[in-house]
């Protein structure tokens, strides 16, 4: 189950822990059983949701597409699991704090919990990078081409870097894939490639991804130096003896940090597939998943009150010369081009009043008929995205009171459209958690043996893991998708540098090359696949 490390074979090198013990027969039975149970649970959940919303299938093609798309999306999370596992388990394995086979199961369990308890903020941050016209038509051929292209590109690049034992970033890969689809879609519609991407959001995420390894390297190095001054225990800085576990308190610290990184990885990385799965569900079974049918009873009254407040600050009278269709077109154009005009605010006012009229007509989101669900959801999404952009648009120059009213209204919109069913979290959690238990050996060897010239000490492992845990948890609270791989790998390198242990420059060079190439490679892969799939489906 653990795979073979690239370039590592023969007898076990001195000091290396046992990496070849698998899950065993009982573990394999539990592994297969968990997959089977998850498949049955997901199928039953989709069936129940569709039946509860009154879906009457006239053809099984959408459900076939749904099955394939979910398989690929969960496949991405599974690969993400074993691709990024080393970041949590390498330090506890190489310091003998936990046996390898126990560490990966432990890490998998806390990855699972991290996904289940995640906020969902990162999930929708990823979705906001996609072209607005494809989000509005996610159930179209172009929408499915988009989802398949970006997920397959991300899986291919992750598998390629894993094969060579290079801990590259799944976050970088997925974001590059999204950018590639956006650029290709813009070129298909005769626009410049730069117009197909939310570059503001991409820059914000890119800064988080670029800063996180610098933080990992610098803070881990400083933490190790501080520990040497404050904690004068030689055992903490000694090279672990072959097969001998560390003192109980050091072992507890290492297991705690492994647990924290695993949980933080699940809560951050696990969300990246959730938003895409929701797009897949909205495209195939919109009646059940386009609108949140589980909002509380008070939602309608709050939504109507927030609509009146927002429409009032926009200065849009109840009767306007602009029709809802014209307003919809104007707002779509504003989101796509980000060009504010005097007509933008009045158009938004017309749109949000029309949304309120549509929603009020049915009494609740749960009662919106199948024929109207897609349009209402799209209008709510447009209004929400327009408000998000207006908050950043200096030309709009919204007064503080107006911005506050619009923000409250946006909260109501998002409560009705940005939700993640429990079964989606469970499915992603199972995929990521089980993925953690396979294929981990290649990258564990790189992190544990090939970054520094000396064996990883207890203090180095704890410093790197503590910094990784804190950085990822902080990014999760801010809704930023940072790279677990970059933070932990650079943290290990930082402790090696601070300890004057020396760095293996060949490995560092390969890591940097993989990190630099990840974005352009995934952009080209996903863009090319999108153009291919778009041509095939016409």
């Amino acid at each position: 189950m653990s795979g073979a490390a690239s370039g590592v074979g023969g007898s076990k090198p001195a000091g290396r822990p046992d990496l070849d013990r698998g899950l065993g027969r009982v573990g394999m039975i539990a592994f297969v059983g968990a997959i089977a149970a998850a498949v049955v649970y997901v199928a039953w959940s989709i069936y129940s949701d569709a039946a509860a919303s009154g879906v009457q299938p006239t053809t099984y093609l959408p459900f076939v597409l749904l099955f394939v798309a979910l398989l690929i999306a969960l496949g991405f999370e599974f690969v993400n699991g074993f691709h990024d596992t080393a970041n949590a388990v390498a330090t506890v394995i190489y310091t003998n704090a936990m046996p390898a086979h126990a560490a990966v199961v432990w890490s998998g369990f806390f990855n699972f919990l991290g996904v289940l308890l995640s906020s969902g903020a990162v999930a929708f941050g990823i979705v906001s990078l996609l072209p607005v016209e494809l989000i509005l038509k996610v159930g179209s051929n172009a929408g499915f081409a988009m989802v398949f292209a970006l997920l397959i590109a991300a899986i291919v690049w992750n598998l390629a870097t894993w094969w060579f034992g290079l801990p590259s970033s799944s976050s970088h890969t997925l974001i590059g894939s999204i950018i590639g689809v956006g650029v290709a879609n813009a070129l298909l519609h005769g626009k410049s490639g730069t117009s197909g991407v939310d570059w503001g959001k991409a820059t914000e995420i890119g800064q988080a991804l670029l800063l996180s390894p610098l933080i990992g390297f610098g803070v881990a190095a400083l933490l190790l130096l501080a520990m040497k001054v404050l904690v004068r225990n030689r055992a903490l800085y000694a090279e672990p003896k072959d097969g001998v576990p560390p003192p109980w308190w050091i072992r507890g610290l290492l297991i705690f940090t492994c647990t924290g990184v695993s949980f933080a990885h699940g809560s951050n990385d696990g969300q990246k597939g959730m938003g895409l799965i929701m797009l897949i569900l909205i495209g195939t079974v919109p009646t059940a998943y386009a609108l949140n049918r589980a909002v509380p009873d008070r939602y309608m009254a709050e939504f109507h009150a927030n609509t009146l407040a927002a429409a009032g600050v926009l200065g849009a009278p109840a009767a306007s010369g602009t029709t809802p269709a014209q307003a919809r077109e104007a707002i779509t154009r504003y989101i796509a081009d980000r060009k504010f005009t005097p007509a933008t605010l009045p158009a938004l006012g017309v749109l949000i009043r029309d949304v309120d009229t549509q929603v009020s007509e049915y009494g609740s989101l749960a009662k919106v008929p199948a024929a109207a669900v897609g349009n209402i959801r799209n209008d709510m999404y447009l209004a929400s995205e327009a408000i998000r952009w207006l908050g950043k648009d200096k030309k709009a120059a919204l007064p503080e009171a107006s911005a506050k009213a619009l923000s409250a209204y946006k909260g109501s919109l998002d409560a009705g459209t940005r939700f993640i069913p429990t079964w989606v979290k469970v499915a992603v959690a199972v995929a990521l958690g089980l993925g953690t238990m396979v294929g981990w050996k290649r990258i564990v060897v790189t992190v544990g043996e090939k970054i520094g010239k000396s064996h990883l000490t207890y203090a180095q492992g704890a410093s790197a893991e503590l910094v990784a845990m804190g950085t990822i948890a902080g990014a999760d609270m801010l809704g930023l998708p940072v790279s677990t791989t970059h933070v932990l790998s650079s943290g290990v390198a930082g402790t090696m540098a601070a300890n004057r242990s020396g760095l293996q420059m060949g490995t560092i060079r390969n890591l940097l090359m993989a990190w630099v190439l990840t974005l352009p490679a995934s952009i080209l892969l996903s863009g090319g696949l999108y153009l291919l799939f778009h041509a095939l489906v016409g």
Side-chain angles (χ1 to χ4, degrees):
M1 292 294 290
S2 61
S6 179
V8 180
S11 60
K12 187 182 78 167
R16 177 195 284 185
D18 182 7
L19 302 179
D20 296 319
R21 182 175 175 182
L23 296 176
R25 179 176 294 181
V26 174
M28 281 298 300
I29 293 173
F31 186 89
V32 174
I35 293 177
V39 169
V40 171
Y41 174 64
V42 168
W44 173 253
S45 298
I46 294 173
Y47 172 79
S48 300
D49 290 346
S53 60
V55 173
Q56 299 292 333
T58 56
T59 174
Y60 288 99
L61 179 60
F63 291 95
V64 172
L65 286 173
L66 173 60
F67 174 77
V68 174
L70 284 177
L71 192 65
I72 295 173
L74 293 174
F76 167 76
E77 291 295 350
F78 186 85
V79 172
N80 187 5
F82 70 72
H83 187 271
D84 288 10
T85 299
N87 306 292
V89 301
T91 55
V92 293
I93 291 173
Y94 273 84
T95 56
N96 301 319
M98 292 182 80
H101 68 283
V104 293
V105 173
W106 181 270
S107 177
F109 175 72
F110 282 96
N111 266 282
F112 177 88
L113 284 184
V115 177
L116 285 185
L117 300 176
S118 60
S119 64
V122 173
F124 295 109
I126 289 289
V127 170
S128 66
L129 287 172
L130 293 166
V132 63
E133 61 269 25
L134 291 183
I135 294 177
L136 296 180
K137 299 177 181 178
V138 70
S140 65
N141 289 339
F144 278 107
M146 168 190 72
V147 172
F148 286 142
L150 67 89
L151 284 173
I152 291 172
I155 290 172
V156 167
W157 183 255
N158 274 352
L159 287 176
T161 53
W162 164 80
W163 180 258
F164 290 103
L166 295 173
S168 69
S169 168
S170 295
S171 303
H172 260 125
T173 305
L174 184 59
I175 290 167
S177 298
I178 290 173
I179 292 173
V181 166
V183 171
N185 183 68
L187 294 174
L188 276 178
H189 290 83
K191 301 177 182 178
S192 68
T194 58
S195 66
V197 179
D198 179 351
W199 290 109
K201 188 70 176 178
T203 301
E204 177 184 319
I205 293 173
Q207 287 173 345
L209 289 170
L210 289 173
L211 287 175
S212 55
L214 298 178
I215 293 171
F217 186 95
V219 178
L222 292 174
L223 182 58
L224 178 65
L225 294 174
M227 287 176 69
K228 285 187 172 184
V229 173
L230 299 174
V231 184
R232 298 182 179 276
N233 186 315
R234 287 190 175 185
L236 195 61
Y237 312 103
E239 181 175 314
K241 296 179 181 179
D242 192 9
V244 178
W248 69 267
W249 66 277
I250 300 176
R251 193 176 193 178
L253 177 63
L254 286 162
I255 293 174
F256 169 74
T257 53
C258 167
T259 304
V261 171
S262 299
F263 184 88
H265 174 258
S267 68
N268 194 280
D269 278 45
Q271 294 187 56
K272 292 161 191 171
M274 288 182 194
L276 297 175
I277 288 175
M278 288 310 300
L279 282 183
I280 293 166
L281 292 170
I282 290 166
T284 51
V285 198
T287 306
Y289 298 108
L291 298 175
N292 185 1
R293 295 172 174 270
V295 291
D297 294 337
R298 67 179 184 277
Y299 175 81
M300 292 302 297
E302 292 176 356
F303 183 82
H304 181 65
N306 287 336
T307 297
L308 294 179
V313 301
L314 291 173
S320 173
T322 304
T323 66
Q326 292 170 333
R328 193 173 299 116
E329 182 181 349
I331 295 303
T332 302
R333 189 164 54 248
Y334 171 66
I335 295 170
D337 300 336
R338 269 85 74 182
K339 293 180 179 177
F340 181 83
T341 68
T344 301
L345 294 182
L348 180 59
V350 171
L351 181 65
I352 66 177
R353 284 182 177 275
D354 185 60
V355 169
D356 185 55
T357 300
Q358 293 180 72
V359 172
S360 299
E361 180 182 346
Y362 303 110
S364 74
L365 295 183
K367 295 179 182 178
V368 176
V373 163
N375 289 335
I376 292 178
R377 191 260 174 192
N378 283 348
D379 285 351
M380 292 174 77
Y381 177 82
L382 283 174
S384 176
E385 284 296 284
I387 292 170
R388 181 172 73 87
W389 277 107
L390 285 170
K392 302 177 181 180
D393 200 328
K394 294 180 180 179
K395 292 184 179 179
L398 293 174
E400 184 177 347
S402 299
K404 187 175 180 179
L406 289 175
S407 178
Y409 176 64
K410 184 180 185 301
S412 293
L413 291 170
D414 292 345
T417 56
R418 298 191 175 196
F419 68 102
I420 299 174
T422 301
W423 73 261
V424 172
K425 285 191 173 186
V426 171
V428 170
V430 170
L432 190 65
L434 293 182
T436 298
M437 300 177 196
V438 303
W440 45 267
K441 182 177 176 182
R442 292 177 183 273
I443 293 175
V444 161
V445 170
T446 299
V447 175
E449 298 180 17
K450 298 183 178 180
I451 291 179
K453 290 182 178 180
S454 65
H455 198 293
L456 197 69
T457 68
Y458 305 128
Q460 287 174 317
S463 297
E465 291 267 20
L466 275 172
V467 171
M469 181 177 69
T471 303
I472 298 162
D476 185 39
M477 288 187 288
L478 295 173
L480 297 174
V482 302
S483 167
T484 307
T485 304
H486 287 191
V487 176
L488 199 286
S489 299
S490 58
V492 170
T495 62
M496 290 291 177
N499 205 40
R500 298 184 179 179
S501 304
L503 297 171
Q504 296 192 42
M505 297 313 297
T507 302
I508 301 300
R509 183 171 57 251
N510 290 339
L511 286 176
L512 291 175
M513 186 178 298
W515 294 357
V516 168
L517 290 178
T518 292
L519 270 178
S522 54
I523 287 171
L524 290 174
L525 266 174
S526 66
L529 285 173
Y530 177 72
L531 293 175
L532 174 63
F533 294 159
H534 192 277
L536 290 176
V537 298

